[in-house]
């Protein structure tokens, strides 16, 4: 764009900056030190989820300043604002986790309201923790503004000091917060001293940035590139790296290019780009939470893309990127091996990428792949011709126990570990299950069932990392299975099935299970069933007392529980683009 040459007659910001009737509005901008020229330029929202809750968000404020430099260099006027974040690592294992998934909707809603209220013309969104990434992307698609997403970056791996009094398996290797959750189980079982636990907790998370494995944040960061909303290679550099600032500047410049060309978020997010994004989740062994977030992003565009659609792509996508928790490496290692675009290049070799999808650069994903000269290193990124496994690291399940589907991560598991059959041990909430695990009140070979933790019934669809990590810490992660209508953290290991639907609060079969019912989970066939006839299930449903009452009878979580839809369509809270009567950019 040429400096000072802007026709704002079709941009939202004309409502607050153009013509004599907007003199009061312009007086506010002058009060903040803006010049006449800056007021006349496009107004660009720069949204961050910065807060002091956790390391994943702490660097976003600095990175936002670099985005603003890029916007200014391209003759736009950046207007920074913040929204909330609920950080799962802090919320995990207690009532706070009920706020996590609900925060995704709050982030999307508050970004939408801020953009609408101030008539900003385009959006650069920065996010660092699990739900803030999809929340920010949902807002972009909902508003359908020219948009660029940028990830705050991953944390550096930790390491125990040389000679520290810790067990050998914790020495001389990378540590993540996953190790700390599992260390709690080991400590409780008597396998880790108080001193060792204290040493590990001080070194496991040594910098700013989101959890380092291919947990939910890094999974959705990879999605942001694959779906086209983020600049190629922008998701990889860890948060402390100065190169993140260069990506931020470039993102600010890129959004001005999109605005000039009128390339909007829904030009980028299409059914085909969503399918590309699901591929990147599968081949990296990403978080099962992507099975919620991709349908939710699709919903904002009016695209039907459900859990079943996601899982169909998972089923025929090879798993070839060796990342924690199922594998060996962390996000920093992926970045140093060439990053997401090298992974996309491998998918492209197998014809598994829709090449024509638009990206934030204004070029197609196919064109961007052609620019990549680096090849798979064979260690972090294996060639797709010789994958770790022939199917994706995440698998969809269906059967009489989950008519609406369920999801399980199998990355790093042998085929014989992907079939499990055993008697149910039923718990009415996560706390009951965690207490039983702590007291060893379960048996090898059982299927632990945690119900009443769905999006509506929880409310909030909590993640069960505290329980699954405690099982792993006790050495029982491969000796029991766990199913829930709640969720699992991207850091979860073991045979853990989440998103079982319909959820218990909606009268799904999981609500009808009793101790001792024989449950079979077969990830190879994509099936999950309970050894009960349709007649037996119908009789139990007729005798069912109804949903469990919760203490959340007012406030944000009550509102969320009234509005939230099923997990299979993304656990969204509004009708989506199918029902919209106008598009924000055209007001």
């Amino acid at each position: 764009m040429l400096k000072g040459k802007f026709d704002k007659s079709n941009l939202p910001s004309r409502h607050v900056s153009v013509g004599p009737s907007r003199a009061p509005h312009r007086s506010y901008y002058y009060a903040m030190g803006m010049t006449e020229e800056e007021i006349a330029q496009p107004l660009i929202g720069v949204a961050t989820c910065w807060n002091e809750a956790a390391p994943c968000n702490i660097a976003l404020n600095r990175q936002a300043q670099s985005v603003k430099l890029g916007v200014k260099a391209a003759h736009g006027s950046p207007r920074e604002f913040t929204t909330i974040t609920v950080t799962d690592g802090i919320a995990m294992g207690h009532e706070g986790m009920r706020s996590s998934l609900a925060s995704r909707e709050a982030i999307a809603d508050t970004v939408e309201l801020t953009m609408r209220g101030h008539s900003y013309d385009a959006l650069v969104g920065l996010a660092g923790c699990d739900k803030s990434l999809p929340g920010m992307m949902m807002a972009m698609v909902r508003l359908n503004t020219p948009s660029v997403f940028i990830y705050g970056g991953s944390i550096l791996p930790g390491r125990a000091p040389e000679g520290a009094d810790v067990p050998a398996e914790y020495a001389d290797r990378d540590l993540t917060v996953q190790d700390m959750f599992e260390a709690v189980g080991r400590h409780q079982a008597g396998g880790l001293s108080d001193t060792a636990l204290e040493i590990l907790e001080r070194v496991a998370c040594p910098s700013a940035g989101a959890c380092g494995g291919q947990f939910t944040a890094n999974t959705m960061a990879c999605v942001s590139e694959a779906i086209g909303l983020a600049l190629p290679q922008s998701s990889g550099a860890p948060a402390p790296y100065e190169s993140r600032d260069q990506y931020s500047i470039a993102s600010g410049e890129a959004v001005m290019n999109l605005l000039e060309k009128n390339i909007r978020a829904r030009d980028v997010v299409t059914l085909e780009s969503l399918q590309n994004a699901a591929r990147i989740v599968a081949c990296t062994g990403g978080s099962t939470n992507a099975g919620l977030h991709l349908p939710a992003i699709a919903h904002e565009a009016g695209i039907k893309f459900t859990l079943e659609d996601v899982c169909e792509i998972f089923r025929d996508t090879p798993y070839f990127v060796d990342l924690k928790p199922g594998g060996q490496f962390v996000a920093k290692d992926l970045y140093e091996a060439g990053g997401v675009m090298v992974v996309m290049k491998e998918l492209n070799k197998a014809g598994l990428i829709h090449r024509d999808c638009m990206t934030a650069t204004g070029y197609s994903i196919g064109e961007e792949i052609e620019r990549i000269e680096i090849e798979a290193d064979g260690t972090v990124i294996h060639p797709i011709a010789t994958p770790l496994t022939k199917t994706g690291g995440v698998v969809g399940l269906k059967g009489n126990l989950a008519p609406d589907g369920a999801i399980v991560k199998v990355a790093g598991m042998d085929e014989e570990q992907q079939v499990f059959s055993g008697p149910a041990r039923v718990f009415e909430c996560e706390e009951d299950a965690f207490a039983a695990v702590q007291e060893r009140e379960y048996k090898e070979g059982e299927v632990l069932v945690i119900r009443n933790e769905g999006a509506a019934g929880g409310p909030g669809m909590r993640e069960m990392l505290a329980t699954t990590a405690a099982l792993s810490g006790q050495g029982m992660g491969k000796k029991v299975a766990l199913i829930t209508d709640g969720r699992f953290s991207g850091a979860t290991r073991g045979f853990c099935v989440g998103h079982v639907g319909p959820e218990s609060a909606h009268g799904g079969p999981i609500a009808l299970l009793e101790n001792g019912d024989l449950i079979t989970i077969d990830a190879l066939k994509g099936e999950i069933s309970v050894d009960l006839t349709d007649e037996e299930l119908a009789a139990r449903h007729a005798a069912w007392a109804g949903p469990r009452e919760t203490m959340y009878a007012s406030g944000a979580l009550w509102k969320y529980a009234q509005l939230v839809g099923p997990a299979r369509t993304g656990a969204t809270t509004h009708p989506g683009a199918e029902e919209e009567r106008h598009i924000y950019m055209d007001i």
Side-chain angles (χ1 to χ4, degrees), residues 319-332:
Y319 162 53
F320 58 88
V321 185
D322 192 13
L323 298 172
K324 289 176 181 287
Q328 303 179 64
F329 300 102
V330 296
K332 180 178 77 74

Side-chain angles (χ1 to χ4, degrees), residues 57-142:
N57 312 306
I58 202 71
L60 295 177
N61 179 270
R62 184 199 83 229
Q63 293 177 27
Q65 309 319 306
S66 296
V67 170
K68 289 157 70 175
L69 292 176
V71 171
K72 289 178 180 178
H75 312 304
S77 296
R79 310 312 300 156
E80 183 181 356
F81 64 95
T82 60
T83 183
I84 69 159
T85 317
V86 173
T87 295
D88 288 9
I90 298 293
M92 194 72 69
H94 56 90
E95 288 292 316
M97 180 49 73
R98 300 197 191 283
S99 299
S100 171
L101 187 58
S103 77
R104 185 192 71 181
E105 311 309 302
I107 290 163
D109 291 350
T110 51
V111 172
E112 176 199 0
L113 292 173
T114 302
M115 291 287 290
R116 284 186 183 276
H118 304 115
S119 297
Y120 295 153
D121 300 316
L123 175 61
V124 181
L126 299 91
C129 191
D130 296 5
K131 308 309 171 296
S132 61
L133 281 79
M136 192 66 72
M137 288 186 265
M138 287 163 66
M140 292 171 173
V141 178
R142 184 185 302 178

